[in-house]
Amino acid sequence: MDAKELLRKVRKIEIKTRRLSADIFGGEYHSAFKGRGMTFSEVRAYQYGDDVRVIDWNVTARYNEPFVKVFEEERELTLLLVVDVSGSEVFGTVNQFKREVITEIAATLAFSALQNNDKVGLVLFAETIEKYIPPKRGRFHLLRIIRELLEFEPQTTKTNIGHSLEFISSVLKKRAIAFLLSDFIDKDYERELRIAAKKHDLTGIRVYDPREESMPHIGLTLAKDAETRKITWINTASKANRIQYGRYFQNLEKQFHLAFQRNSAGVVHCRTDQSYVKKLLNYFKTRG
């Protein structure tokens, strides 16, 4: 992709997703995600019903009457976008590839964070961590993130979700909002998920194509695995093959949903032929 084409695509993504963020998600994002913690503000005289755990014993001893500490919520947040760029994301049978939908969702979330003056960071992963952009504020920083989402070419094609979760647990010392965007065609990542979800406010956004739910009946056909690059003949006329294929993706979906729910992490399912706007808006409202 040449520089002129890249700039055009970046601008197109910015216009679309920034408008969505401003018109729809700004307030919803703000109310859905709370501050990292509480900061000390002042002390005041104890009132009936106050929690005794917030009594300031030093001030109480000095004035010989009870005083309590008053805290304010920290509104500044850090948003980390953890994006799957493995081979299976470059697949689509409707209007867009999965990676294109993921890019739009990530940009929308980033501009929503920008309105709240939050820091935004990016992790691109496949089988390994391909790129890490530490969290920063500002429009130019966000445009850099969008450029990477659009043009980055990974060195590996397979998926390792567990490794990406392990990375975010180690790289960010303070609690952050983390969105993991992937098709979740992977397994055995719940241990790393459990650790990451305890440390961060974690949400998994599963983006999938409708064709992945069922195999079409088109006879004998060649199929290429986007991650292993292996090419095989598949008899789609076989009912047993179609059933096995459907069960495989149902199991992946079930594993993703249950793993995130068991560990108190958020879950969003986005099909490429459906509106991700409605999905995100509903999710924000249920959290608010």
Side-chain angles (χ1 to χ4, degrees):
M1 188 185 305
D2 61 36
K4 187 175 180 180
E5 175 68 10
L6 176 60
L7 287 172
R8 187 187 67 80
K9 287 193 172 185
V10 169
R11 183 60 178 157
K12 183 179 179 181
I13 288 284
E14 181 189 11
I15 291 171
K16 179 177 182 178
T17 58
R18 190 165 192 159
R19 185 174 64 247
L20 284 173
S21 299
D23 295 346
I24 301 173
F25 295 116
E28 298 296 340
Y29 168 90
H30 185 89
S31 61
F33 299 100
K34 309 302 181 185
R36 278 200 306 261
M38 308 298 284
T39 56
F40 174 74
S41 175
E42 59 182 346
V43 294
R44 62 164 172 78
Y46 176 86
Q47 297 175 2
Y48 177 76
D50 284 338
D51 191 336
V52 295
R53 290 174 296 182
V54 295
I55 291 177
D56 189 320
W57 294 107
N58 290 330
V59 178
T60 297
R62 192 179 309 139
Y63 290 97
N64 203 29
E65 61 177 296
F67 281 81
V68 295
K69 296 176 182 178
V70 178
F71 296 86
E72 290 182 350
E73 184 184 58
E74 278 188 80
R75 274 308 317 169
E76 179 189 297
L77 304 170
T78 296
L79 172 68
L80 187 65
L81 301 167
V82 188
V83 177
D84 184 352
V85 291
S86 64
S88 62
E89 303 304 337
V90 189
F91 176 77
T93 61
V94 192
N95 297 321
Q96 292 177 296
F97 290 141
K98 288 184 284 185
R99 182 166 173 178
E100 292 173 328
V101 175
I102 285 174
T103 296
E104 287 192 13
I105 294 173
T108 301
L109 293 169
F111 278 114
S112 297
L114 178 66
Q115 291 181 63
N116 202 45
N117 198 35
D118 296 336
K119 295 179 181 178
V120 181
L122 177 67
V123 176
L124 299 176
F125 76 94
E127 191 171 14
T128 62
I129 301 302
E130 296 277 349
K131 194 174 189 71
Y132 172 55
I133 300 177
K136 286 177 61 177
R137 297 186 189 86
R139 177 175 174 269
F140 289 111
H141 177 68
L142 256 60
L143 293 180
R144 179 196 173 192
I145 285 176
I146 294 173
R147 285 197 302 271
E148 293 291 352
L149 288 167
L150 285 170
E151 72 168 350
F152 187 82
E153 294 293 336
Q155 298 299 306
T156 57
T157 56
K158 294 182 180 179
T159 307
N160 191 329
I161 290 171
H163 188 52
S164 72
L165 290 164
E166 190 174 44
F167 179 78
I168 66 172
S169 293
S170 63
V171 76
L172 292 181
K173 301 306 178 185
K174 293 183 178 180
R175 186 172 179 82
I177 300 167
F179 282 93
L180 176 53
L181 299 99
S182 173
D183 53 15
F184 289 89
I185 302 178
D186 194 17
K187 57 183 180 179
D188 300 328
Y189 52 80
E190 188 165 358
R191 182 184 69 84
E192 295 85 355
L193 169 61
R194 186 179 304 113
I195 296 169
K198 284 181 179 179
K199 187 173 183 181
H200 301 295
D201 187 337
L202 179 64
T203 299
I205 300 182
R206 176 175 169 264
V207 177
Y208 64 102
D209 189 89
R211 183 52 67 203
E212 291 175 326
E213 294 181 293
S214 61
M215 179 184 290
H217 190 323
I218 54 175
L220 193 63
T221 185
L222 271 175
K224 181 178 180 180
D225 188 309
E227 299 202 351
T228 65
R229 306 299 190 191
K230 185 178 179 181
I231 299 175
T232 55
W233 285 98
I234 297 177
N235 181 13
T236 65
S238 166
K239 184 177 180 180
N241 284 346
R242 295 198 302 274
I243 291 174
Q244 183 180 13
Y245 177 89
R247 283 176 178 169
Y248 171 71
F249 278 94
Q250 286 172 12
N251 288 336
L252 287 174
E253 177 185 5
K254 184 177 180 181
Q255 174 187 275
F256 157 72
H257 197 95
L258 290 178
F260 273 72
Q261 280 198 330
R262 272 196 296 259
N263 293 285
S264 301
V267 172
V268 181
H269 296 268
C270 291
R271 211 168 76 173
T272 55
D273 62 340
Q274 297 174 343
S275 170
Y276 66 81
V277 174
K278 292 181 180 178
K279 298 282 187 177
L280 290 179
L281 197 56
N282 287 338
Y283 177 64
F284 286 174
K285 285 180 176 178
T286 58
R287 286 189 52 121

